[in-house]
């Protein structure tokens, strides 16, 4: 399971870095959904990774990937919920 956690966190960090670099270099609007919506965009990378590792027979690693992905998703959703709850008056 620690291997899965490290793989998932590495994937999340890579997505943030690549999204930030893309936004800094191209000034595109692509960076907002990638970096700010990391809870959803991470699953684009994590699900194929989990399926590939499951084929290799490493069930505990897949468990770590999915648990870490779920935690990142919930933390991101909580942060967005808190910020959306604040109203500027």
């Amino acid at each position: 399971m620690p291997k899965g956690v490290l793989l998932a966190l590495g994937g999340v960090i890579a997505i943030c870095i690549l999204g930030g670099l893309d936004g800094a270099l191209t000034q595109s609007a692509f960076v907002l959904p990638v970096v700010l919506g990391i809870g959803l965009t991470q699953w684009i990378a994590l699900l194929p990774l989990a399926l590939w590792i499951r084929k290799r027979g490493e069930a505990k690693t897949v468990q770590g990937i999915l648990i870490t992905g779920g935690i990142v998703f919930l933390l991101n959703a909580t942060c967005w919920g808190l910020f959306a709850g604040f109203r500027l008056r």
Side-chain angles (χ1 to χ4, degrees):
M1 184 143 66
K3 180 179 172 184
V5 172
L6 291 175
L7 284 171
L9 288 177
V12 170
I13 291 169
I15 290 169
C16 287
I17 289 172
L18 291 175
L21 285 176
D22 178 59
L25 296 176
T26 63
Q27 301 296 322
S28 71
F30 176 71
V31 71
L32 289 176
V34 170
V35 174
L36 298 179
I38 191 66
L40 292 175
T41 56
Q42 73 167 343
W43 287 104
I44 295 170
L46 291 184
L47 284 179
L49 177 65
L51 292 173
W52 178 65
I53 291 178
R54 186 191 313 173
K55 282 184 183 179
R56 295 178 59 194
E58 298 182 38
K60 293 288 186 183
T61 303
V62 172
Q63 220 175 20
I65 290 171
L66 297 179
I67 289 171
T68 304
I71 290 170
V72 170
F73 177 81
L74 291 174
L75 285 172
N76 185 262
T78 302
C79 289
W80 276 107
L82 286 174
F83 286 120
F86 294 133
R87 294 182 184 208
L88 298 174
R89 295 179 185 190

